[in-house]
Amino acid sequence: MNKSIRKLRFAAEASVLAIELLMSPAANADDDLMRTANQIFHPIPSVIPAVKDNSVTHGRVYLGKMLFLDPRLSASEIMSCNTCRNLGTGGVDPGPTSVGHVWKVGLRRAPTVYNAVFKVAPFWHGRAADLKAQATGPVQASAEMSPTPNHVLDSLNAMASYVALVKNAFPNEARPVTFENYAKAIEANEAALISPAAPFDQYVEGNTHAPD
């Protein structure tokens, strides 16, 4: 069985168990369900995790946040990462499926970016290895933001404020305005979007009186 499929199946089984936990009013820290939950789930940590081949610095997180929210990087200059992964609506599109460039309706609803750094696969079908690889997809997809990498770089180079932010985020590079660094900044921002101490996390830690 494909490794990504195994990971996704495990995630689905874990989600079913999470629902059972939340629907079981009689569950407590000593019962079998709680012990099973503790074997499968781990609470969201309160610190940003290390990311492979990318230093999650304040400068990169801030740059990534600006890029995530900026529609000027899209082909139409009206779509941003936040359009389909709206941070104000749980990091997802509020509709049944996402709508992108020239109002094309996508096949799926964009998954949330909150706690995405802990996912076994950034996309629904697990085609991206990490958040950096995921960040290069929507920005180029014809049904999403639809620009080319060169369009993104031309847009960044045309704005002195962005050039300064990129240099600050990647201070050791002679020419830091690259598509790879664009993706690294988006990855750093998404890695910082974590939600520790949620009610379910508290429950898994043994607090049977965690709020619903």
Side-chain angles (χ1 to χ4, degrees), residues 6-57:
R6 288 200 303 270
K7 288 183 176 180
L8 291 172
R9 177 171 291 180
F10 174 82
E13 292 173 350
S15 296
V16 171
L17 179 56
I19 294 171
E20 291 177 352
L21 279 168
L22 293 172
M23 295 180 65
S24 177
N28 57 63
D30 297 323
D31 64 19
D32 292 338
L33 194 58
M34 177 63 78
R35 284 194 292 272
T36 302
N38 287 329
Q39 293 173 2
I40 296 177
F41 298 106
H42 299 284
I44 298 296
S46 58
V47 296
I48 300 173
V51 175
K52 183 180 179 181
D53 299 326
N54 191 2
S55 299
V56 184
T57 62

Side-chain angles (χ1 to χ4, degrees), residues 81 123 127-128 130-141 147-149 152 179-184 186-187 190:
C81 297
F123 287 112
R127 72 179 186 269
D130 50 34
L131 290 178
K132 182 174 67 175
Q134 182 273 333
T136 65
V139 72
Q140 299 181 77
T148 63
V152 173
F179 193 61
E180 180 179 4
N181 285 346
Y182 162 87
K184 282 185 173 182
I186 294 288
E187 180 181 47
E190 293 187 355

